Amino acid sequence: MNSPSPTQLLPSGGMAIYELNKQMGLWMDALGTDSSQNTATSTVLEPEAKAPPHQLQDANEMPGSSRETDQEANKPNDKVLRRLAQNREAARKSRLRKKAYIQQLESSRSKLAQLEQELQRARKQGGLISGSPRDSFRGIPRAFNSGAATFEMEYGRWVEEQNRQGRDLRAALRAHASDIELQILVESGMSHYDELFRMKAAAAEADVFFIISGMWKTSAERVFLWIGGFRPSAVLKVLSPQLDPLTEQQVMAVYNLQLSSQQAEDALSQGMDKLQQTLSETLVADASATVNTSNCMGQMETAIGKLEALVSFVNQADHLRHQALQQMHRILTTRQAARGLLALGDYCQQLRALSSMWAAQPREPA
């Protein structure tokens, strides 16, 4: 007799519970298998999918950092850019200066050629030309010298610039300009006189007689000439009344400067007198000596060697003039210095105007 199956032994309700439990077990087995497979899969893939945060951050930042580094390396430094801009500006200014210098040389060469043509025409006519076309009224003949002619042209431009600076100073003083504005004009005026002394030193090396004789100045200016220029102590006497009011300390400083300038002028004048006496004795000895060509040439070389001391005297006199201007600049205030430079320029301009008026004055025939 066959034994009943478990489902047969159970009542109808128990049969249902049994089937339900059996089905639940099958579902659990299926779920357990899937869960284990998923877990295994996750354990294999997790190291790749879930890296540590810092590694992910480094991995994300590496490409960007590399690109930024390349960009920074390729990007020019601000300092380099500024240096390049400065170099370009310096090159531009250098080209402009070179162009202006070439133009000035061309102008000087053309004027020099014109003077040479005038010299040739004067020689053909049996005469000599005067100092320069702009000062032909002087009527003082002189031999042509390239160094002297160059200085005359440069001095003519210097006088024009001095007149322009004088107009600027006068306008600034009338407009009650600030001390800063006046200081700029004063510094420019002082530099302009420095340029004059530099030009004179070069011209004295080329032709010291031309500088000492004052042929580059007007006739009225030559009346007050002292070793190729103005006498500092005399100019201080003329300008001092134009600078009032001065403090007591300034008055004493100007007086001491005038006194020391006078002493230095006397020393240079004595040196010039001694040099002239020596040259006169040398020339007299040549004239009284027996006619001998070699002896005469030796004596003339000695005289020329002594004449070279004239260049030193001119330079020392200009140094004294330069020092007087510098000392006055230190003594005076900015506004007083501006008035002083203006007064000095007006004084020279009035002397030049006086010469022109005298030359233009009609003369009665003898």
Side-chain angles (χ1 to χ4, degrees):
M1 187 174 179
N2 294 331
S3 60
S5 62
T7 57
Q8 292 178 351
L9 296 175
L10 292 172
S12 60
M15 182 64 179
I17 295 173
Y18 174 78
E19 290 294 337
L20 180 60
N21 290 333
K22 181 178 179 181
Q23 188 66 31
M24 289 288 293
L26 294 174
W27 289 347
M28 293 297 294
D29 293 338
L31 291 172
T33 303
D34 295 339
S35 176
S36 63
Q37 291 176 355
N38 292 337
T39 304
T41 304
S42 66
T43 56
V44 174
L45 296 178
E46 186 176 3
E48 297 179 0
K50 297 181 179 180
H54 66 277
Q55 293 182 2
L56 291 175
Q57 183 178 1
D58 293 340
N60 293 332
E61 292 179 355
M62 284 298 293
S65 300
S66 177
R67 287 194 297 270
E68 292 175 1
T69 303
D70 294 339
Q71 293 175 358
E72 289 295 329
N74 295 329
K75 182 180 179 181
N77 194 342
D78 291 342
K79 185 176 182 180
V80 175
L81 290 176
R82 288 195 300 269
R83 183 71 59 82
L84 291 174
Q86 292 174 356
N87 291 341
R88 286 194 295 269
E89 182 65 16
R92 186 184 68 83
K93 292 182 178 180
S94 177
R95 289 192 297 269
L96 292 176
R97 287 194 299 268
K98 182 179 179 181
K99 183 178 179 181
Y101 178 70
I102 292 175
Q103 292 176 350
Q104 183 178 4
L105 287 179
E106 291 293 337
S107 177
S108 299
R109 185 172 63 179
S110 63
K111 291 180 180 179
L112 191 59
Q114 181 181 359
L115 288 174
E116 289 176 348
Q117 292 175 0
E118 292 180 0
L119 176 62
Q120 293 297 331
R121 287 195 299 267
R123 284 175 175 174
K124 291 179 181 179
Q125 296 172 0
L128 292 174
I129 62 172
S130 60
S132 68
R134 67 180 176 83
D135 291 327
S136 57
F137 64 86
R138 298 176 188 174
I140 299 179
R142 68 176 175 83
F144 179 79
N145 181 285
S146 59
T150 301
F151 174 76
E152 270 194 319
M153 290 185 292
E154 292 180 345
Y155 181 70
R157 289 191 292 268
W158 186 91
V159 170
E160 293 175 357
E161 176 63 18
Q162 185 191 38
N163 293 336
R164 187 196 65 79
Q165 291 184 358
R167 291 191 297 268
D168 292 343
L169 277 172
R170 182 174 285 105
L173 289 171
R174 287 178 177 176
H176 303 285
S178 65
D179 286 349
I180 296 178
E181 294 173 330
L182 289 177
Q183 182 65 28
I184 294 174
L185 295 175
V186 169
E187 292 295 338
S188 178
M190 297 296 293
S191 299
H192 194 53
Y193 277 98
D194 293 344
E195 179 67 14
L196 174 62
F197 297 139
R198 184 198 64 78
M199 292 190 307
K200 286 181 62 181
E205 290 289 342
D207 190 350
V208 66
F209 295 112
F210 173 71
I211 297 297
I212 289 183
S213 65
M215 296 174 64
W216 47 283
K217 285 183 170 292
T218 59
S219 56
E221 289 177 296
R222 287 196 296 271
V223 173
F224 303 97
L225 197 68
W226 175 76
I227 313 183
F230 62 83
R231 189 182 289 269
S233 60
V235 171
L236 290 176
K237 289 180 181 179
V238 173
L239 297 183
S240 294
Q242 308 296 327
L243 303 176
D244 289 334
L246 294 173
T247 64
E248 184 177 350
Q249 184 178 2
Q250 287 177 324
V251 171
M252 183 59 64
V254 172
Y255 173 77
N256 291 333
L257 177 60
Q258 181 179 334
L259 183 61
S260 61
S261 298
Q262 180 67 57
Q263 293 173 351
E265 292 165 10
D266 292 342
L268 287 177
S269 297
Q270 291 175 8
M272 284 288 294
D273 292 341
K274 182 65 176 177
L275 178 61
Q276 290 176 357
Q277 181 181 354
T278 303
L279 289 174
S280 298
E281 293 174 355
T282 302
L283 295 176
V284 170
D286 289 341
S288 61
T290 304
V291 177
N292 187 319
T293 304
S294 60
N295 184 43
C296 180
M297 291 299 296
Q299 292 291 339
M300 292 303 295
E301 289 179 359
T302 301
I304 291 174
K306 293 178 180 179
L307 281 176
E308 291 179 353
L310 286 175
V311 178
S312 176
F313 276 103
V314 171
N315 292 334
Q316 291 181 52
D318 277 347
H319 178 71
L320 181 60
R321 287 183 273 265
H322 181 258
Q323 289 296 315
L325 289 175
Q326 292 290 336
Q327 288 295 330
M328 286 296 292
H329 186 205
R330 297 187 184 97
I331 294 171
L332 303 176
T333 64
T334 300
R335 196 164 298 274
Q336 288 172 337
R339 288 162 48 198
L341 282 176
L342 179 60
L344 180 58
D346 289 344
Y347 174 69
C348 297
Q349 191 173 8
Q350 288 170 0
L351 287 177
R352 290 189 289 265
L354 179 61
S355 296
S356 299
M357 293 177 63
W358 174 259
Q361 188 176 8
R363 301 288 193 275
E364 294 183 0

